[in-house]
Amino acid sequence: GQSHTDSSFYLALRGGTCKGTCLILDESALPLTRSWCLFELLQTIQLERQQAGFGGLLFCTANGVLNFGAATVEVAMNIGKKLAGLSLQNADATC
């Protein structure tokens, strides 16, 4: 495609049937260092503001959904640290 709006990630999130975003996180919150995951995070934030009834972002871990209190303190702290230091400039991208 010619633009980010042609990507499968964008089309899936913006297709009208997506009810929310589930971000699968390991203990080091590694997905928050990847450019496509940050792109999905941005689209999710925008959809929350634009689309009534959109479920938003769920942080999912091996212990359950962090949003519902099902995660270890270590995982929650690591996610907080990654979120505080988010940088698209420093994000990894793979083909």
Side-chain angles (χ1 to χ4, degrees):
Q2 297 293 321
S3 168
H4 69 282
T5 59
D6 297 326
S7 73
S8 58
F9 294 105
Y10 184 90
L11 294 172
L13 286 169
R14 299 288 183 147
T17 58
C18 183
K19 303 296 182 196
T21 304
C22 175
L23 184 60
I24 309 294
L25 294 168
D26 59 3
E27 290 200 16
S28 62
L30 189 60
L32 292 172
T33 65
R34 296 186 181 132
S35 59
W36 277 113
C37 293
L38 295 180
F39 174 76
E40 291 173 343
L41 181 62
L42 173 63
Q43 294 306 311
T44 297
I45 292 167
Q46 290 177 344
L47 279 168
E48 281 183 295
R49 294 178 181 161
Q50 298 167 353
Q51 186 175 315
F54 186 74
L57 179 67
L58 296 176
F59 291 102
C60 302
T61 71
N63 294 325
V65 181
L66 177 65
N67 307 55
F68 305 143
T72 65
V73 172
E74 292 81 15
V75 170
M77 293 298 293
N78 283 336
I79 291 169
K81 288 176 187 175
K82 293 283 189 203
L83 287 172
L86 282 184
S87 170
L88 183 56
Q89 181 177 353
N90 295 329
D92 294 325
T94 56
C95 297

